[in-house]
Amino acid sequence: MSIDSLGEWRRTHYSNMVGPALDGEKVTVFGWVEDVRDLGGITFITLRDREGLLQITVLRKKVSEKILEKISRIGRQFAIGVKGTVRSHREAPKGVEVIPEDIKILATAAHPLPLDPTGRVPADIDVRLDARVLDLRRPECRAIFKIRHETVTEIRRFFIENGFIEVHTPKIIAAAAEGGAALFPVDYFEQKAFLAQSPELYKEQLTTVFEKVFEIGTYFRAEESHTRRHLNEFISVDIEEAFATVDDVMNVQEELTRSIVSHVAKTCQNELEILGLSLKTPSQRFKRYTYSEIVEELRKRNVEVEWGEDIPTPAYRELGELHKQEYYFIVDWPSRVRPFYIKPREDKPELCYAFDFMYEWIEITSGGSRVDSKEVFVNRLKEQNLDPKSFDFYLKIFDYGMPPHAGFGMGLERMLMALVGKENIREVILFPRDRFRLTP
Ligand code: ATP
Ligand code: MG
């Protein structure tokens, strides 16, 4: 089939800019054909661009042979351009249509398509992810990723406004921050290296220079388990702050969450409507439960968690039932279930200054006060059966004036699951990487 060239054509308007007020004006629009309906004397083309839909109305008796020929060839999901005149018309969707004077077919699509990008025919998540770029054209997906975009925009604004400096730490590293288990190895010339699973020890070092840093970065975890909340590649939003404690960074997390929710509620009204959501900025201060209180709460529901153990997934599910639509913190964790860089309490070293930030059953963030003494750090490594030698590069920092400091790592996708109410993390990342998926 012959394809037109773009030539000198350039877009004058996105679909959402074409309204009845433009009646009589000439426009050039581009997009994909969502639908073509031929009603004899009249053909309707529904055009979709990134902002929405627009009706193109072809009165067959009034247009040239050239346009009729184009229309006879147009199929769903073809990319086309239309030059025409805007007509305000009460019966058209949004009260407006474009009467074409010229049409270009810029790309075709092969039918049958693997899924229906209008979303009218529901498809299984694996089918959707296999044809992700078509799936992303569905209004629901576009809404989720517009919300993701606004979330990241707001996160960056929030940190910059609060005096944090944006940094970029290495993603190819020699030693693990979280122990060796979940690292992807990389061949690094003559050496063995790994993909970073967090910026932990780098952002901590940087507090000795910039005091307040943040990073929005990609991290890799070779977790074997195939769950609805784990990816093997995800985005973490990290902060680290000098001369601060766990309580200070929990307050940052709380303020950040409020800012994100209110920014999304303000800038994504259409998207929230498409998703059937109404977001309210939480008015109350987020509750801080101790780990012991949570264990007790679970016990009352006949879910046994032995004190000192991590909280297993079924118990998290139960917490989700108990904390519906609630953001909350879990504090005062047993030291042995938290990473070696978390500071134990001076008065009760079996507890530590760590927190998790939760929404219903989902852990969104982990953070805490960090170890700021070399001696304690070495002991913590030994307790967790890690070899202090492989942390030489970091141990040096304690001799260079290590300030008391605290920070957190927030999973961007986990935050989005909470915002858009999705139970499967794959819904909120463009191209998920999981135990079984490396393409597309
Ligand atoms: P989980 O217990 O849920 O496996 P974690 O405690 O191992 O998470 P942390 O090391 O605390 O994870 O990482 C900080 C944050 O990064 C987590 O709270 C979570 O939001 C996010 N995160 C960690 N691992 C993953 C993953 N595999 N996929 C998506 N997000 C992740
Ligand atoms: Mg955690």
Side-chain angles (χ1 to χ4, degrees), residues 338 356 363 366:
R338 304 308 290 204
D356 272 0
E363 175 192 320
S366 284

Side-chain angles (χ1 to χ4, degrees), residues 8 14 123 134 188 209 286 291 310 316 351 364 366 394-395 401:
E8 296 298 306
Y14 281 106
L134 277 181
Y188 193 74
V209 185
F286 300 160
Y291 166 88
D310 234 331
Y316 275 118
L351 293 178
I364 297 178
S366 284
Y394 187 70
L395 288 170

Side-chain angles (χ1 to χ4, degrees), residues 280-405:
K280 280 193 293 297
T281 313
S283 54
Q284 302 212 330
R285 196 171 140 80
F286 300 160
K287 292 225 176 70
R288 279 112 169 112
Y289 302 97
T290 65
Y291 166 88
S292 299
E293 282 167 348
I294 292 286
V295 169
E296 191 51 35
E297 188 181 38
L298 286 166
R299 192 165 291 154
K300 282 196 190 121
R301 303 272 292 209
N302 295 320
V303 182
E304 283 304 320
V305 179
E306 198 177 326
W307 198 97
E309 294 298 315
D310 234 331
I311 299 173
T313 304
Y316 275 118
R317 283 290 178 181
E318 193 66 31
L319 286 181
E321 295 301 313
L322 291 166
H323 299 271
K324 278 254 183 287
Q325 304 206 335
E326 185 192 342
Y327 289 103
Y328 58 101
F329 290 98
I330 307 179
V331 299
D332 279 352
W333 285 79
S335 302
R336 51 179 292 248
V337 297
R338 304 308 290 204
F340 57 83
Y341 50 77
I342 293 285
K343 187 176 187 164
R345 271 171 62 160
E346 296 82 356
D347 54 339
K348 265 190 223 160
E350 65 277 16
L351 293 178
C352 66
Y353 294 115
F355 77 88
D356 272 0
F357 175 59
M358 309 284 301
Y359 181 76
E360 297 187 340
W361 66 285
I362 302 167
E363 175 192 320
I364 297 178
T365 302
S366 284
S369 298
R370 318 302 193 184
V371 175
D372 48 25
S373 121
K374 192 194 248 179
E375 194 193 330
V376 177
F377 194 85
V378 170
N379 287 340
R380 291 282 288 157
L381 286 175
K382 287 185 187 151
E383 264 165 41
Q384 308 210 351
N385 295 321
L386 293 163
D387 179 7
K389 271 207 207 74
S390 44
F391 290 86
D392 264 355
F393 77 100
Y394 187 70
L395 288 170
K396 286 189 196 131
I397 313 300
F398 290 100
D399 298 332
Y400 304 159
M402 174 71 99
H405 59 287

Side-chain angles (χ1 to χ4, degrees), residues 178 221 223 229-232 234 236 338 341 356 363-366 409-414 425:
E178 325 283 331
R221 295 201 184 181
E223 309 193 56
R229 65 183 199 285
H230 289 99
L231 295 163
N232 294 106
F234 66 98
S236 178
R338 304 308 290 204
Y341 50 77
D356 272 0
E363 175 192 320
I364 297 178
T365 302
S366 284
M410 172 175 99
L412 177 66
E413 286 82 16
R414 300 272 180 94
I425 197 165

